[in-house]
Amino acid sequence: MAKRVYKFSEGNANMRELLGGKGAGLAEMTNLGIPVPDGFTISTEACTDYYNEGKTINKETEQQIFEALKWLEGVRGKKFGDLNDPLLVSVRSGARASMPGMMDTILNLGLNDESVVGFAKKTGNPRFAYDSYRRFIQMFSDVVMGMSKTYFDSILEGKKKAKGYKFDTELTAEDLQEIIKQFKDVYKDKMGEGFPQDPRAQLIEAIKAVFRSWDNPRANSYRRMYDIPYEWGTAVNVQSMVFGNMGNDCGTGVCFSRDPSTGAHEYFYGEYLINAQGEDVVAGIRTPQQISKQGSMEWAVARGISEEERQKDYPSLEESMPEAFKALTDVKNKLEAHYRDMQDMEFTIESGKLFMLQTRNGKRTAFSALQIACDLVDEKVITPEEAVCRIEPQSLDQLLHPNFDQNSLLHTPFIGQGLPASPGAAAGRVFFTAEEAEAAHSRGDRVILVRQETSPEDIEGMHAAEGILTMRGGMTSHAAVVARGMGTCCVSGCGDMKFDEAGRKFSLGGVDVHQGDYISLDGSTGKIYLGDIPTVDATITGNFERIMNWADKFRRLKIRTNADTPDNASDAVRLGAEGIGLCRTEHMFFEAERIEKMRKMILSDTTEAREKALSELIPYQKGDFKAIYRVMHGMPVTIRFLDPPLHEFLPKTDDEISKLANDMGLSFTEVKKRCDDLQEFNPMMGHRGCRLSITFPEIAKMQTRAVIEAAIEVKAENGFDIVPEIMVPLVGDRKELAAVRKVICEVAEKVKKERNSDIQYHVGTMIEIPRAALMADQIAGEAEFFSFGTNDLTQMTFGFSRDDSGKFLADYYKSKIYEADPFAHLDQNGVGQLIQIAAEKARKVRKDIHLGVCGEHGGDPASIEFFNRVGLDYVSCSPFRVPIARLAAAQAAINNK
């Protein structure tokens, strides 16, 4: 029979995968001689069994549970279910990855109508006994049976109100007995049967409930957010109860070995409550007190509480229970020294004696993580390599973007939520078109651009906006990708929003929001608020630079950026980018003075007319490239030639069509017909990318001339040696690339001859079609570099539209078909296999071929680990994800030594 249940003394910190984080921590503390209530852990393998066997606990595991329970009875000298002196236990979840508050806990399990009477007599404390029973009924009904907490909260609050009480601790034993009766009546009314009285049945049902909580909506969302695999499962910890609610020499609390917000460790940080159980500390019913005297005094000053009032009503643990405080301080120091990291600990004090219920590496802000890592290096506790691995790469977003003022946030109505498409916080007046947004910005207004979905022609309005909100689109929609590139806050795919552009309003959360009204967006959570919430600028400290410098020493992958403007490029260089891996040229054509020339080129019906229109665009295009080259100071710049279908540039309104017709000497009808003819049923797979240059080689000629002339001129004017990398998009066949490459090289060589220049340049392609990955050996014969465009490669491999997948992916998550958005985290099994095949094939043909990634996955830490493993040379990501990529690349290199 496979072992599924482990006593704490049988485990250790290295058994995290089997025992979960909490179980491994309890086992390690037990081995260290730290006071831990006795208990046992039901392994994560038992959770897997539970789901594989139709959500049942098999007989073998059940037998092991009751054998362990019998052992626990012997150790504690009490019987489970005894009517006079019952053994009571807690049942807690514990996944291998910390998931605070995501899963469920039941305390005081084992009580029933008869044993609570004996328990009251044995302890000589009826109030405590009945308080423990009412808590158990409340938690069991909620966690195990799925009843709403409100049924019980209303009874409890009603009794307190009737008696004139402020706190639960004022309830008498008689009050609690009445509450218990009402609780049981509600339970019977809602469940159709009496509250369960058999402790063994209570235990098995509680264990099942903890296993079920692994699959509850909040746990599933948390796992997707933090890349925690569903198959890991959770362990369950069954532990003999210790009681913080027996009286004023008892208490419970949470503490940290260093401040989780700042990383400071001048004094002992944490909170506790006297005469309470664990859930009271986080429930907010009573004001928690501080652990240390210094912390308590600072807390009181911040709230205008006098020293006399503090000592009377809010004394620190150090003052109220000095012996317990000393014991807790010793444990804190021992655990931090043992784990060599900041610890988050839970404890209970029963009759003055300290018991530890949990220790784990504490969650912390990015600011705190940097401070703690650097301090531990300075204290010679960890090495710089370990310090780099202690920082969660995604958390660096907190340091690079503004956040909301937390006090103001608490008082601002929340009205809805979309996808957290681009981090940061923004507040401003709502505008519904790019033109109106730009005009409002020029008047000095802070603007939130609200669109059903954005398109390239919205670029000026997006640039003017503090934040962007869209009804449609996913994490890699146009709005999301462009916003991340700009470092602009964006919430996308808010499907609950009812959009009325004509009426200049949208409805969400029962509220109509009109043009000019203020809203606030949190791009890190996707939350939308009604009103103008002040923001606080992000701060970058010396610790940030120190960690980044260490990371740069350890990483192998180069980090480039996706940037289309000098401002984007400048931001990226400031944050450590080593080149541009993707400069999209299409956005450059949407400015007012350029779009007319672009439209004339598209609608011209002869090569000569197109070339004439394009010649007028060369100075603009060349100016764009020169500005970017100057910012990059000779670092590599990969320029993607025109990619989107031409219809995206065409006029949309009758007024625009009329103006264009007049400028071209054509009728409205002729221009309208040509615009209609260029529309495509499936433009994503239509006349775009390299196909444009094959049909209209004059486009590639114009862009090549602009690229090469700009590089030559910047060399002459600024002394920077520019080696442009020209990237041909959407290639699926060697002959396609050969045809476009021939045009590029002919023009480049012609310009070099005209300018008497020996400038070097490279021609390569994006691998974004599955066929291109499979034919990579042939394509490599024409390409000096590959850049994997993982956005389109994912889209074409899955057959998903990245703008529409948000409508059904939630059902895929719910059905456990997918665990994560493949546009946010690379599908390593499918898309990743194509990348690996392409890399291996290409290197057989061209050993020095340069391989990189320029899709959104280039800034995703889990994807970066894969790119490092398969030997790519660089990743390219949006400017504000560059530090994240630098850190993730270093961690990948360290972990794959």
Side-chain angles (χ1 to χ4, degrees):
M1 181 170 60
K3 188 172 178 64
R4 292 290 186 262
V5 178
Y6 296 79
K7 301 168 191 171
F8 292 161
S9 58
E10 294 178 311
N12 59 58
N14 297 323
M15 296 172 68
R16 189 182 190 90
E17 292 185 13
L18 189 65
L19 304 180
K22 186 171 291 184
L26 290 167
E28 193 73 2
M29 287 194 291
T30 298
N31 296 336
L32 290 170
I34 289 170
V36 172
D38 298 299
F40 54 89
T41 300
I42 303 160
S43 74
T44 55
E45 292 176 336
C47 181
T48 302
D49 293 341
Y50 171 80
Y51 282 102
N52 287 343
E53 296 172 20
K55 297 187 179 180
T56 60
I57 297 175
N58 62 48
K59 294 298 180 186
E60 292 81 2
T61 300
E62 192 171 302
Q63 181 182 336
Q64 290 183 39
I65 291 168
F66 287 120
E67 286 173 357
L69 186 63
K70 187 174 182 181
W71 161 81
L72 188 59
E73 289 176 330
V75 171
R76 299 294 295 163
K78 298 183 178 186
K79 291 287 185 184
F80 191 61
D82 188 85
L83 298 184
N84 298 312
D85 187 16
L87 171 67
L88 303 183
V89 298
S90 63
V91 178
R92 289 184 170 95
S93 63
R96 75 166 89 163
S98 177
M99 296 172 61
M102 292 302 109
M103 293 182 293
D104 295 319
T105 293
I106 300 104
L107 305 180
N108 310 326
L109 189 144
L111 283 172
N112 60 25
D113 292 349
E114 294 181 274
S115 62
V116 70
V117 178
F119 190 47
K121 289 179 182 176
K122 179 67 179 179
T123 59
N125 190 340
R127 190 211 168 275
F128 152 68
Y130 290 107
D131 183 51
S132 298
Y133 191 29
R134 75 91 185 161
R135 290 171 184 269
F136 171 55
I137 294 172
Q138 199 165 352
M139 277 188 273
F140 189 93
S141 301
D142 167 29
V143 172
V144 179
M145 306 309 296
M147 290 180 62
S148 172
K149 293 178 183 178
T150 57
Y151 296 130
F152 305 99
D153 289 341
S154 61
I155 292 169
L156 191 66
E157 293 305 312
K159 175 62 74 174
K160 284 160 61 179
K161 185 176 181 180
K163 293 282 188 173
Y165 300 152
K166 185 177 180 182
F167 299 115
D168 296 356
T169 49
E170 298 174 85
L171 292 164
T172 65
E174 290 73 23
D175 294 330
L176 289 162
Q177 284 175 287
E178 292 173 16
I179 288 169
I180 288 167
K181 182 180 183 306
Q182 289 178 275
F183 277 12
K184 287 166 57 187
D185 288 344
V186 168
Y187 183 96
K188 187 170 185 178
D189 178 58
K190 300 299 177 185
M191 303 308 299
E193 59 184 13
F195 187 79
Q197 298 294 300
D198 178 1
R200 290 167 72 91
Q202 294 173 357
L203 177 61
I204 293 299
E205 290 306 314
I207 293 167
K208 287 180 183 178
V210 173
F211 283 154
R212 284 198 304 273
S213 72
W214 177 250
D215 197 26
N216 71 32
R218 65 180 186 271
N220 286 329
S221 296
Y222 189 93
R223 278 198 303 278
R224 282 197 299 277
M225 202 179 301
Y226 291 98
D227 303 326
I228 300 170
Y230 177 76
E231 65 264 18
W232 280 6
T234 183
V236 181
N237 299 287
V238 178
Q239 194 170 16
S240 55
M241 282 296 304
V242 288
F243 298 96
N245 61 327
M246 288 180 70
N248 289 334
D249 60 349
C250 303
T252 189
V254 176
C255 58
F256 304 88
S257 60
R258 301 184 187 225
D259 188 329
S261 296
T262 67
H265 56 117
E266 287 86 6
Y267 55 83
F268 197 167
Y269 295 82
E271 297 178 328
Y272 82 106
L273 281 173
I274 291 175
N275 196 15
Q277 285 199 313
E279 73 271 19
D280 297 335
V281 179
V282 295
I285 298 167
R286 292 161 56 192
T287 303
Q289 296 156 236
Q290 302 299 298
I291 297 289
S292 69
K293 181 179 178 181
Q294 183 181 345
S296 178
M297 292 171 69
E298 290 184 9
W299 175 88
V301 168
R303 286 157 182 77
I305 296 171
S306 69
E307 177 61 12
E308 181 180 0
E309 184 184 355
R310 183 196 71 78
Q311 290 185 24
K312 177 177 176 291
D313 295 332
Y314 305 106
S316 67
L317 184 68
E318 184 176 5
E319 295 164 295
S320 63
M321 300 186 197
E323 290 184 5
F325 173 80
K326 182 181 182 306
L328 184 60
T329 302
D330 291 343
V331 167
K332 179 259 292 185
N333 293 337
K334 186 172 187 175
L335 287 172
E336 179 170 289
H338 180 74
Y339 284 101
R340 300 161 60 245
D341 199 359
M342 185 267 277
Q343 294 299 292
D344 169 358
M345 297 155 284
E346 295 179 14
F347 66 90
T348 288
I349 300 165
E350 180 181 294
S351 303
K353 180 174 172 56
L354 174 71
F355 293 91
M356 300 304 297
L357 305 181
Q358 174 170 290
T359 191
R360 61 187 173 196
N361 293 340
K363 296 284 185 184
R364 61 204 79 179
T365 64
F367 182 93
S368 173
L370 296 175
Q371 184 67 53
I372 291 169
C374 290
D375 284 348
L376 289 173
V377 170
D378 293 339
E379 293 163 19
K380 296 184 168 41
V381 174
I382 63 174
T383 65
E385 272 191 341
E386 290 174 299
V388 165
C389 291
R390 293 281 174 89
I391 313 299
E392 172 57 48
Q394 297 280 24
S395 72
L396 297 181
D397 263 343
Q398 298 172 24
L399 302 176
L400 304 173
H401 299 276
N403 294 293
F404 285 133
D405 173 73
Q406 292 302 302
N407 289 330
S408 301
L409 181 63
L410 293 174
H411 301 99
T412 307
F414 165 78
I415 57 172
Q417 188 162 10
L419 298 173
S422 183
R429 295 183 184 275
V430 166
F431 290 91
F432 290 91
T433 70
E435 295 76 16
E436 289 165 340
E438 196 174 357
H441 174 72
S442 67
R443 295 193 300 268
D445 283 338
R446 286 177 289 116
V447 171
I448 302 293
L449 177 62
V450 181
R451 302 285 288 152
Q452 287 196 62
E453 58 195 348
T454 63
S455 66
E457 66 188 31
D458 292 322
I459 193 72
E460 294 300 316
M462 296 173 77
H463 186 69
E466 303 285 324
I468 299 161
L469 170 63
T470 69
M471 185 176 83
R472 299 177 186 148
M475 295 292 285
T476 55
S477 62
H478 177 268
V481 171
V482 173
R484 282 196 289 271
M486 293 176 170
T488 299
C489 165
C490 177
V491 175
S492 65
C494 182
D496 292 336
M497 187 165 74
K498 291 183 174 57
F499 190 85
D500 180 5
E501 183 174 342
R504 294 295 189 266
K505 70 174 183 177
F506 71 86
S507 302
L508 182 64
V511 176
D512 286 343
V513 179
H514 297 84
Q515 182 150 299
D517 291 347
Y518 277 103
I519 63 170
S520 299
L521 307 178
D522 188 335
S524 301
T525 64
K527 291 185 176 178
I528 304 156
Y529 301 89
L530 183 66
D532 185 9
I533 306 177
T535 58
V536 179
D537 286 339
T539 55
I540 294 179
T541 67
N543 289 330
F544 179 90
E545 185 175 1
R546 197 176 175 196
I547 290 286
M548 288 296 105
N549 287 339
W550 286 335
D552 291 342
K553 288 179 184 176
F554 301 133
R555 64 182 166 86
R556 181 192 63 79
L557 281 169
K558 297 290 185 182
I559 309 299
R560 298 192 189 184
T561 189
N562 302 339
D564 313 335
T565 68
D567 287 346
N568 290 165
S570 180
D571 284 337
V573 170
R574 176 174 58 85
L575 294 170
E578 298 165 298
I580 291 177
L582 175 63
C583 176
R584 305 174 183 90
T585 54
E586 54 267 19
H587 290 152
M588 299 171 177
F589 296 114
F590 280 99
E591 290 183 13
E593 56 194 0
R594 308 181 188 196
I595 191 66
E596 295 301 324
K597 295 175 175 61
M598 188 68 178
R599 287 169 175 171
K600 286 179 186 178
M601 184 278 294
I602 294 168
L603 295 180
S604 296
D605 54 8
T606 67
T607 300
E608 292 74 17
R610 284 191 294 272
E611 286 178 341
K612 183 177 185 300
L614 286 166
S615 68
E616 296 178 23
L617 286 168
I618 287 178
Y620 297 110
Q621 185 94 112
K622 185 166 70 174
D624 294 330
F625 296 143
K626 287 179 71 173
I628 289 172
Y629 289 156
R630 289 191 185 105
V631 170
M632 299 310 294
H633 285 217
M635 287 185 276
V637 177
T638 304
I639 296 167
R640 183 181 75 185
F641 276 8
L642 198 64
D643 183 41
L646 295 180
H647 74 81
E648 289 196 8
F649 298 94
L650 294 177
K652 302 293 189 294
T653 67
D654 287 352
D655 287 346
E656 289 176 334
I657 292 172
S658 293
K659 184 177 184 305
L660 183 60
N662 290 334
D663 290 346
M664 295 185 72
L666 300 170
S667 70
F668 176 92
T669 303
E670 285 178 290
V671 173
K672 179 77 165 61
K673 183 177 186 307
R674 290 191 191 181
C675 290
D676 290 343
D677 288 345
L678 282 166
Q679 298 296 321
E680 296 181 297
F681 289 108
N682 191 352
M684 203 64 211
M685 302 179 76
H687 196 189
R688 55 171 286 223
C690 68
R691 300 157 198 168
L692 294 175
S693 294
I694 289 170
T695 304
F696 306 116
E698 50 272 21
I699 297 176
K701 289 178 182 179
M702 179 275 287
Q703 292 200 286
T704 302
R705 177 169 286 277
V707 166
I708 301 299
E709 286 186 357
I712 292 170
E713 290 175 17
V714 168
K715 166 71 172 175
E717 295 165 8
N718 304 99
F720 299 138
D721 286 315
I722 309 296
V723 182
E725 298 177 355
I726 297 172
M727 184 158 67
V728 180
L730 216 72
V731 163
D733 190 280
R734 181 191 65 79
K735 293 177 185 177
E736 283 180 310
L737 181 57
V740 181
R741 178 187 174 92
K742 183 174 183 292
V743 172
I744 291 169
C745 292
E746 284 175 355
V747 174
E749 294 303 319
K750 182 179 179 182
V751 172
K752 286 172 63 176
K753 189 173 181 180
E754 292 170 359
R755 300 294 185 100
N756 192 27
S757 171
D758 62 354
I759 187 173
Q760 300 297 303
Y761 61 93
H762 301 301
V763 179
T765 187
M766 286 183 85
I767 302 295
E768 46 194 332
I769 296 175
R771 188 179 193 275
L774 297 173
M775 305 296 288
D777 48 349
Q778 294 185 25
I779 294 172
E782 300 289 341
E784 295 170 84
F785 66 88
F786 282 174
S787 183
F788 292 96
T790 54
N791 297 347
D792 272 353
L793 187 57
T794 297
Q795 183 165 236
M796 295 194 185
T797 302
F798 278 87
F800 289 168
S801 161
R802 67 184 183 186
D803 291 321
D804 297 314
S805 60
K807 296 174 182 175
F808 57 81
L809 277 178
D811 298 321
Y812 275 57
Y813 304 147
K814 188 176 179 181
S815 301
K816 305 297 183 296
I817 296 170
Y818 298 144
E819 289 190 43
D821 182 349
F823 293 107
H825 305 296
L826 185 79
D827 162 41
Q828 297 183 19
N829 295 325
V831 179
Q833 187 176 167
L834 287 172
I835 291 171
Q836 190 163 6
I837 288 168
E840 290 170 356
K841 285 191 164 196
R843 285 193 170 123
K844 286 178 182 176
V845 172
R846 191 187 289 266
K847 294 189 185 304
D848 62 347
I849 193 167
H850 209 55
L851 303 175
V853 168
C854 63
E856 285 300 298
H857 300 96
D860 172 55
S863 304
I864 289 169
E865 193 279 331
F866 173 81
F867 300 140
N868 181 77
R869 195 167 68 244
V870 300
L872 302 192
D873 298 300
Y874 70 87
V875 297
S876 188
C877 57
S878 54
F880 286 90
R881 294 191 73 80
V882 165
I884 294 170
R886 290 165 67 191
L887 183 59
Q891 293 178 355
I894 292 167
N895 293 332
N896 284 278
K897 276 185 175 180

